[in-house]
Amino acid sequence: MSELWTAERTVSLVWAAELIGGQFPELLPLTITLLGEGFDNTVYRVNGRYVFRFPRRSIAVELLRVECALLPHLARLQLPLQVSEPVFEGKPTAEYPWPFAGYRYVAGALPGRVTAEERIRSSRPLAAFLRRLHGFPVEQAKRLGVPNDRIGRLDLSIRLNQADSNMSKAIERGLWSDRHDWDELIAWLDERAKKSGNGSGDGIEGGVGNGGAFTEALVHGDLHIRNILVNEERIITGIVDWGDVHTGNPAADLALVYSYLPPEGRKLFFADYGEVDVQTRMLARFRAVHTTLFLLLYGNDRQDAALVEAAQDSLRLALNYP
């Protein structure tokens, strides 16, 4: 059975050069290098100044269109962290039937292994960024075509079993060893879901099973160690890959607080971002574990030892391991 990240089409370096050079001759002669491959896109750096993303799966096509409509508006806000800004709109061809896009290069590197002190130094820049992002007018985002959360990222009726299955896979493959903290987290969430569904009044209003009650916000939707960039001091400076952007529960983004920041950093973050209720924190922590387990299994499948180690670090933080 194919994994979630299995590509339907992969644009090779030579093919990417043909598509870019054919549609954007002003960029010739091209200097092009592979920057990375994700679940949804193959990414190339072009002429040192631009990044081109080519969808790998049909599901990513509409995501690309949405982010290209929204990102110019975010870029004009001069947010505390850099964001991708689309400047080239590639058209489908007979050979490659999907659109693709070129963005201004966002300087920085993937964080990899980062010390606790380095992580803490990112707390306040991240808080300032998410406070501004989550304050973006939701109605304006919707007019730009940004959807709501159509896939239930925080729908525990779906995601709990999915994450539990992935935890079992991680243990079976020797990538993780202890379920104790994970079992405590899902027991807490499961109990809250039952209470919110039986009319007791003790659960989360609206039901924890669908994300609970929350103030709708514009959210990135996929914040994790593969979509943040750091500078030479290992401080977060950029946020990339906006394909999952939507309007919904801010807990989807606050997951990064639990997968990247140690407890001291979380205190600094919420002091600047603003306090959130315990249910939102727990949903964010769950989302952090859910996403990180996918990254852990993906890194193992791709034999990417650096990603496996970084994902294990994130999982320890999200599960409150020392």
Side-chain angles (χ1 to χ4, degrees):
M1 184 175 68
S2 297
E3 297 285 4
L4 175 66
W5 48 81
T6 301
E8 296 169 27
R9 295 177 185 270
T10 301
V11 175
S12 68
L13 188 146
V14 172
W15 194 5
E18 291 175 354
L19 288 167
I20 296 167
Q23 296 193 29
F24 307 107
E26 67 270 29
L27 296 178
L28 295 172
L30 293 180
T31 301
I32 181 170
T33 55
L34 177 66
L35 200 56
E37 294 179 341
F39 286 20
D40 293 331
N41 298 279
T42 303
V43 186
Y44 292 96
R45 187 173 180 183
V46 174
N47 294 354
R49 299 176 57 195
Y50 304 106
V51 170
F52 275 78
R53 296 172 64 209
F54 295 86
R56 293 163 56 85
R57 303 189 297 155
S58 58
I59 193 175
V61 174
E62 181 59 25
L63 306 181
L64 188 76
R65 290 194 180 102
V66 169
E67 71 172 36
C68 286
L70 173 70
L71 285 173
H73 295 267
L74 294 185
R76 287 196 288 270
L77 292 180
Q78 297 183 328
L79 295 167
L81 302 179
Q82 299 178 78
V83 299
S84 310
E85 182 183 2
V87 289
F88 298 103
E89 183 180 347
K91 306 296 184 184
T93 69
E95 293 77 21
Y96 185 71
W98 298 332
F100 58 97
Y103 308 76
R104 298 191 194 283
Y105 177 71
V106 177
L110 295 176
R113 307 299 296 273
V114 189
T115 67
E117 292 75 17
E118 290 167 338
R119 293 172 188 269
I120 290 170
R121 290 202 294 269
S122 288
S123 302
R124 286 189 159 143
L126 180 62
F129 172 79
L130 286 181
R131 187 174 64 247
R132 291 280 302 279
L133 179 68
H134 294 167
F136 187 91
V138 169
E139 291 307 314
Q140 181 182 355
K142 291 180 177 179
R143 287 195 297 271
L144 293 168
V146 177
N148 59 12
D149 184 5
R150 296 171 180 169
I151 63 173
R153 291 168 177 82
L154 295 171
D155 185 344
L156 300 185
S157 67
I158 301 170
R159 303 301 177 183
L160 272 177
N161 287 338
Q162 188 180 64
D164 194 54
S165 173
N166 284 339
M167 175 61 80
S168 296
K169 290 179 183 178
I171 292 172
E172 290 168 4
R173 297 172 190 181
L175 303 171
W176 200 250
S177 59
D178 190 348
R179 291 182 56 100
H180 176 73
D181 285 347
W182 167 242
D183 288 338
E184 284 194 345
L185 174 59
I186 61 175
W188 189 96
L189 291 168
D190 188 53
E191 180 63 22
R192 287 285 169 166
K194 289 176 181 176
K195 287 182 178 181
S196 65
N198 65 17
S200 68
D202 294 328
I204 301 171
E205 182 184 354
V208 72
N210 61 14
F214 58 89
T215 300
E216 188 179 26
L218 175 68
V219 296
H220 177 281
D222 197 27
L223 282 182
H224 55 69
I225 52 174
R226 295 265 289 184
N227 289 337
I228 60 177
L229 300 176
V230 299
N231 61 16
E232 293 179 355
E233 286 73 42
R234 318 288 280 179
I235 298 172
I236 296 176
T237 56
I239 305 293
V240 297
D241 193 349
W242 289 77
D244 280 71
V245 67
H246 64 275
T247 60
N249 193 330
D253 284 351
L254 297 177
L256 186 64
V257 178
Y258 292 90
S259 65
Y260 195 74
L261 301 180
E264 303 93 320
R266 295 170 194 169
K267 292 178 183 177
L268 292 173
F269 175 92
F270 286 115
D272 286 2
Y273 175 86
E275 289 300 322
V276 300
D277 59 60
V278 65
Q279 290 88 355
T280 299
R281 287 174 179 258
M282 293 296 275
L283 282 170
R285 185 179 167 211
F286 166 76
R287 175 68 179 172
V289 175
H290 181 276
T291 300
T292 301
L293 284 168
F294 268 116
L295 291 174
L296 182 60
L297 294 173
Y298 173 73
N300 182 66
D301 184 66
R302 302 303 297 269
Q303 298 183 332
D304 186 338
L307 177 57
V308 167
E309 290 181 350
Q312 288 169 333
D313 287 344
S314 290
L315 200 53
R316 290 186 188 97
L317 286 168
L319 290 173
N320 288 331
Y321 275 73

